[in-house]
Amino acid sequence: NQPQKILVVGQKISGTATAGALVENVQNNNLTVNTLFGARSMVAGIIRNIRKVNSVTQIDVISLADNGSGVAAAGAIAVVGTATEAGTLTVTVGSALDHQYDIAVTSGDTATVIGDAIEAAITADTQVPVTAVNTTGSVAITAANDGTVGNSIGLRIEGTVAGITHSVTVMASGATDPSFTGLFDVVEGIRYQNIVWPYTADLTTVKSFIDPRFNYSGRILDGRANVATHDTFANLETLGNTHNDKNLKIIGDLKVAETSYKGPAMLELGYGKAAQDSGIRALRLTDGANIASLVIANMGSLDRFGGKAIASLPYFNTPLAYMPLVEAGDGFSEDEIEDLVTAGISVWGNN
């Protein structure tokens, strides 16, 4: 049971880290992370989510620059009308716990005024992985990193204010991820028990790296890659059956497509889910780590400490303290969950 190590792969925005190089043992503070990769970057978001559940495990990073031909995903949050009463609208971008904003509305506020307030709230959040620009009440949302991952950022606006209607345009059109050719050359011979892989559009690359490491001749190099996505039940079942693999964990969530809500039923960034999953697994397998908050242990005090014996404990009853609840009617049915599990998809949901 070697000391756990997590490998993070993802895109940077700015910072001192060299794209494609391995940064080992990233320090456990936001200043270092922001300096290396940029505060709004995919990589910074992944690391912050790991550290929510695990402040112990070593994190190594391969950061990537946006592809020169990349296109950023774009969507919109729109308000129409003029308020005839005071009230509050709640806007969420990507994460219901980390990037949710209450927008105060005063009677007489126009769509432009409300849109300006939404833009200001998003802009003030230096860690949200998007930028925002308001035009007469239609707030254009653009992913901070180019590529396909931005297409999975959920958007929602809630609240009832007389005189105002609102809607969301789904994040889409993000295209052309960085090149993954030779990506893992810099970690040849290094064991990572968990890899956070945000690129659902390309699971073949990470499988081609991790699969040959299982029962590697003469060395112990095995580990697991973790990825999260949201889609229809049918598409997720197909994805699972296509990539069902002992070395790959796919966390699947239902796609919600409502007028004012577009995104996963559990409104959290996909790479945030994969990151927390990696952090939980690593802590559970760390000798002596305090995991009382990560297991429901009714039998024996030893279950509250990490180590190799904990490998036999199931994950189905693991509390996810830093995940939002799924709203009623937005999740999978019990039959769908069983079918997805059979296909190799991990499903998270309310207890």
Side-chain angles (χ1 to χ4, degrees), residues 58-146:
Q58 177 175 328
I59 299 174
D60 293 356
V61 176
I62 303 174
S63 64
L64 303 170
D66 287 353
N67 193 307
S69 301
V71 178
I77 299 170
V79 293
V80 176
T82 298
T84 57
E85 66 176 4
T88 301
L89 298 175
T90 301
V91 170
T92 304
V93 179
S95 171
L97 298 184
D98 292 335
H99 308 302
Q100 188 171 90
Y101 321 101
D102 288 333
I103 308 299
V105 178
T106 301
S107 181
D109 282 353
T110 63
T112 297
V113 170
I114 298 170
D116 284 343
I118 294 172
E119 176 189 333
I122 295 172
T123 302
D125 182 355
T126 59
Q127 296 181 349
V128 67
V130 304
T131 57
V133 176
N134 173 47
T135 304
T136 63
S138 179
V139 183
I141 307 295
T142 305
N145 282 114
D146 294 345

